[in-house]
Amino acid sequence: VSKPAAAPVLKCTENMVKKNDPGKCGAAVNYTIPEVKSGQDVRVTQTKGGGSGSFFKPGTTTNTFSASDAWSQQKECSFNVTVKDLESPVFKCPADTVIMLPANRRGIIYNYTAPVANDNCAVDSFEQVAGPKDGCFLEVGVHPFIYKAIDAAGNYEMCTHSVIIKLAPPVASVEPPSKLADDLSLGSDSIHYEYKSKVDDCLLTIFLYDDGEEDGDIVSVIFNGRVIVNKEMIRLKENSMVKRTLVLDAGNENYLVSKAWNTGKYGLNTLKIDVYEGNIENEKKDLKTIKPVLSKVLHSKPGNAGGIILKCE
């Protein structure tokens, strides 16, 4: 048997420290395969860790190589690849929000969704540092909201925005008129206000139609000094309704007036008004499940208009 050669000698590269690849939870790391310094018929194999060019996750990975020769003599060397995650979480942070309230309001119920934070690895913890919870009551003033997101490596990011509640300037009080204004060019009919009603929402959707017999009643409808229906024949509900959206001046009396151009076949014009809170976009679908908050009939004849006064807080 021949004498064994000198045992193989391996030299590993030095320990390596890398930062994560942009947007990745780790880094692709290239390194030099250990060099065989001595020995004969030496075969080098990696027994632990990742190969050169492979993707290393954050933390320390030990790479171990073994050299063996024809006489089964073995030597090992090791080095560490340390990948540091240096990327902080990224927030989709909302801009400051300004909400204008009517002059007589004290505040508002505020519903919101917390901002979202993403990280190249993962968000380890998320907390709301400042600001009230969803569904809170915000009084007039500035309300800061602060959030903090931290990843497993301790990198963190803050999101700060404010919700600013302001009072709108007072709206000049409007006195409901006792007769139609000359500039409307609708005549000078006197106005009899048949109803006064309060609603919770200042945004309303109304539907107008003939109450009773469809007898050719022709009307004009005026809302707060503006003609919103001009000399139209009103139909029965099942035939056709006139739809309009109204925005009331909060805290003031708003007036809706029906001016008759004829008396139809059966005496007074009878205009039925169904009032819904909010914006009704699809009446065929929505009106099957939503009931009006008000349902009134305005009576009018040429020279004598019928009206309703609406008020929202």
Side-chain angles (χ1 to χ4, degrees):
V1 180
S2 60
K3 182 180 179 180
V9 175
L10 278 180
K11 182 180 180 181
C12 275
T13 185
E14 299 293 329
N15 293 334
M16 305 174 67
V17 178
K18 296 284 187 180
K19 69 177 182 179
N20 66 287
D21 293 340
K24 303 293 184 180
C25 188
V29 179
N30 294 295
Y31 59 80
T32 303
I33 302 298
E35 181 183 356
V36 179
K37 303 299 288 185
S38 64
Q40 294 181 5
D41 299 325
V42 177
R43 184 168 62 93
V44 178
T45 57
Q46 185 171 4
T47 59
K48 188 177 180 181
S52 177
S54 61
F55 191 80
F56 288 78
K57 291 188 173 297
T60 298
T61 302
T62 299
N63 299 284
T64 301
F65 290 82
S66 175
S68 59
D69 62 12
W71 292 273
S72 298
Q73 300 179 102
Q74 291 186 338
K75 285 290 183 179
E76 287 187 343
C77 73
S78 299
F79 68 96
N80 294 328
V81 171
T82 300
V83 175
K84 293 186 176 181
D85 175 20
L86 301 180
E87 263 187 55
S88 298
V90 176
F91 264 106
K92 293 181 179 178
C93 197
D96 290 349
T97 300
V98 178
I99 299 175
M100 303 296 294
L101 296 181
N104 60 336
R105 293 284 290 275
R106 199 167 53 83
I108 188 174
I109 300 295
Y110 185 64
N111 295 103
Y112 66 91
T113 301
V116 175
N118 296 300
D119 189 70
N120 58 310
C121 289
V123 174
D124 190 58
S125 68
F126 180 94
E127 62 176 322
Q128 185 171 351
V129 179
K133 302 300 181 183
D134 177 40
C136 55
F137 182 80
L138 297 185
E139 295 184 340
V140 175
V142 179
H143 304 272
F145 288 76
I146 303 175
Y147 301 87
K148 184 177 183 179
I150 309 174
D151 66 15
N155 304 305
Y156 70 90
E157 188 59 66
M158 309 290 290
C159 164
T160 301
H161 71 101
S162 294
V163 177
I164 304 157
I165 310 296
K166 294 184 176 181
L167 291 180
V171 179
S173 180
V174 177
E175 186 74 24
S178 59
K179 69 174 187 176
L180 295 180
D182 293 337
D183 60 1
L184 294 177
S185 299
L186 299 177
S188 56
D189 299 34
S190 61
I191 303 172
H192 170 60
Y193 292 100
E194 302 176 72
Y195 313 99
K196 279 191 175 184
S197 300
K198 286 187 177 181
V199 290
D200 294 327
D201 197 330
C202 293
L203 175 64
L204 303 177
T205 303
I206 64 170
F207 292 89
L208 311 174
Y209 54 95
D210 199 339
D211 180 57
E213 297 283 347
E214 187 174 303
D215 57 352
D217 291 345
I218 297 175
V219 301
S220 291
V221 179
I222 303 95
F223 171 67
N224 283 358
R226 181 171 58 90
V227 178
I228 60 173
V229 176
N230 189 22
K231 293 185 179 180
E232 290 190 27
M233 187 183 80
I234 51 175
R235 310 289 303 278
L236 291 176
K237 183 176 184 178
E238 57 267 26
N239 293 336
S240 178
M241 295 187 295
V242 176
K243 172 187 172 183
R244 294 292 185 269
T245 301
L246 309 180
V247 180
L248 306 186
D249 287 338
N252 283 328
E253 290 187 334
N254 302 259
Y255 60 91
L256 188 73
V257 174
S258 174
K259 182 262 187 311
W261 291 98
N262 62 1
T263 54
K265 295 179 181 179
Y266 305 105
L268 293 175
N269 270 337
T270 53
L271 177 68
K272 185 71 173 284
I273 302 175
D274 289 342
V275 179
Y276 295 82
E277 292 184 329
N279 183 28
I280 303 296
E281 294 184 358
N282 187 341
E283 54 263 32
K284 289 185 179 179
K285 175 183 176 183
D286 295 340
L287 297 188
K288 293 180 180 179
T289 57
I290 303 174
K291 293 184 177 180
V293 293
L294 293 173
S295 189
K296 302 293 184 182
V297 178
L298 296 183
H299 303 86
S300 60
K301 62 182 180 179
N304 192 351
I308 180 173
I309 293 175
L310 299 170
K311 191 173 183 180
C312 68
E313 297 296 338

